[in-house]
Each structure stands twice: as structure tokens, then as C-alpha cells.
Amino acid sequence: MRAAGVTAGVLLTLTGVAAAPAQAAAYRYWSFWESDGGKPWAYATQGPATARPADGDALGFRFAISNGTGDTSQPSVAPDFRGICGGVEKKDGTKRIAVVVDFGGPVDAPPGETPPEKLIKVGCAEVREDATGAEALAAVAKPLRYDSAAMLCGIAGYPARGCGEPVEASGNTGSAGDAGGKKTPAPTAARESDGGGPSVGVLAGGAAVLALGGAAIWKARRRR
């Protein structure tokens, strides 16, 4: 009976875990994308301030609400270097970078702000050969706004305020800071599980506990 009680308790615990809602915040921020030589957009692995694109590359920036790279919207314009920079001749000591800026739409706009009337801005940045992605972006879409942690917060003046705030399911903006006063960074990788339930490891571990509890009951019955 004692083993049965333990097993029942484990069952109730697992039921509670499975019923618990996932607490995953979305974020409103500028995501950064790269394209090498006409390849499809790929989520950048570093920030524009440290990335150093080569001549012929394309950089994309998209403002949106997202849970991470797995569901972050890509720029809605393809990384078409020839279409954007085809008429610009390469000069000695410089490189040409195609830049695409996608301001998103009203659904992504922070409260009290409106996206620019022209939602897409493209341009060919002619910058020195060692220029960063941030310098290429600045050549096409000034002014840029950064926070104290060098996170890109605004492009061409949009949005005017805020930087990577968590957004509740209702669309309201949550607190952007933690207990230490540091800004919560926007996610740079997709969550390991987007199913909204407990992880496979939790369920597998629970199943193992249940199996041990069942074995204990079986042994107890055989002793009778």
C-alpha cells in the first residue's frame, strides 16, 4: 500500500507538470540576417557591430515580435545583391553590401508608434573594405540607435523608444529589466521545445519513476 501511495503521488505530480502552461516570452526587436553570394537569408550568429561582410554580400534587418530564430520573420525582400547593387561599380579600397531593412507592420509596432509609410528600405552601401555590418547599415538607413549593451534598438529612427522588450501574449510590453537592472536580451536561438508542454526528459524521467513504483507494488503483492 505504501508503494501504491508513492506511485499515486508521482502520477499527481506528473499530471500537474503536464498541465502547467509554458511561460515563454516573445520579444519585439530588430533581427539581423546575412546572405553570402546570393544564398537565402540565414540568421546572423553575431551582431552587426562585429560582423564584417564581404563585397557581394547582403545584410537584412527585420523588426518583428518573435520567440527566437525558429519563428523570427525574415526580411520580406530577397537578398538580391545584383538587383540592389548591380548598377554600382566596385572601387579600389571599398566593398559593396546590399542592405535590406524591413520595418515589419502595425502588428509588430510598439504601443504608440507607427511603422514608416514605406515598410521596406533597400540600398547599396559603399564602404571601406574592413567596414562592419553596422557601418554598412548606417550608410543606408541612418540614424541608428543602440542601448548601453550595444544592442541595435532603432533603424532610421524606428522605433523611437524601447529595445528588445518582452511582449506578453496579449501584445502588451513587459518589463525589459531583471533584478540586477540589466536589460533582458532578445533571444538568439530557437527554444529547444515549442510544444508548450513538459520536456521529453521530464516525461521520460517520470515514466522511469512510475516503472520503479510499479515493480515495487508487484514485489509487495508476491510476498503476500
Side-chain angles (χ1 to χ4, degrees):
M1 294 299 294
R2 185 176 181 183
V6 172
T7 304
V10 173
L11 274 171
L12 289 174
T13 301
L14 286 178
T15 302
V17 171
Q23 299 296 325
Y27 293 81
R28 180 186 286 112
Y29 68 107
W30 281 102
S31 59
F32 176 36
W33 302 79
E34 300 173 315
S35 172
D36 177 11
K39 296 178 182 177
W41 289 121
Y43 198 86
T45 58
Q46 58 183 315
T50 56
R52 295 188 185 276
D55 181 74
D57 287 351
L59 302 181
F61 300 85
R62 170 67 189 264
F63 190 75
I65 296 175
S66 174
N67 284 325
T69 61
D71 66 349
T72 301
S73 299
Q74 297 183 8
S76 57
V77 173
D80 183 6
F81 175 81
R82 290 185 178 182
I84 297 173
C85 292
V88 179
E89 183 178 353
K90 186 182 184 308
K91 300 176 182 177
D92 292 339
T94 67
K95 59 185 177 183
R96 301 158 301 165
I97 309 298
V99 178
V100 174
V101 179
D102 187 334
F103 294 95
V107 69
D108 298 309
E113 297 208 36
T114 303
E117 183 176 350
K118 190 174 181 180
L119 296 179
I120 303 294
K121 184 178 181 64
V122 299
C124 185
E126 295 181 84
V127 291
R128 67 182 190 278
E129 290 183 339
D130 63 344
T132 65
E135 291 173 297
L137 174 61
V140 171
K142 288 182 179 179
L144 306 183
R145 180 170 61 88
Y146 294 89
D147 70 358
S148 59
M151 179 175 175
L152 180 61
C153 305
I155 298 177
Y158 179 79
R161 298 172 299 278
C163 194
E165 297 87 354
V167 180
E168 298 173 0
S170 63
N172 297 324
T173 302
S175 172
D178 59 17
K182 297 180 181 179
K183 185 173 292 295
T184 303
T188 56
R191 294 170 298 168
E192 291 182 358
S193 173
D194 291 323
S199 69
V200 174
V202 171
L203 292 179
V209 172
L210 287 175
L212 290 173
I217 294 173
W218 179 77
K219 290 180 179 180
R221 287 177 177 176
R222 289 205 52 181
R223 294 192 189 101
R224 293 178 183 177

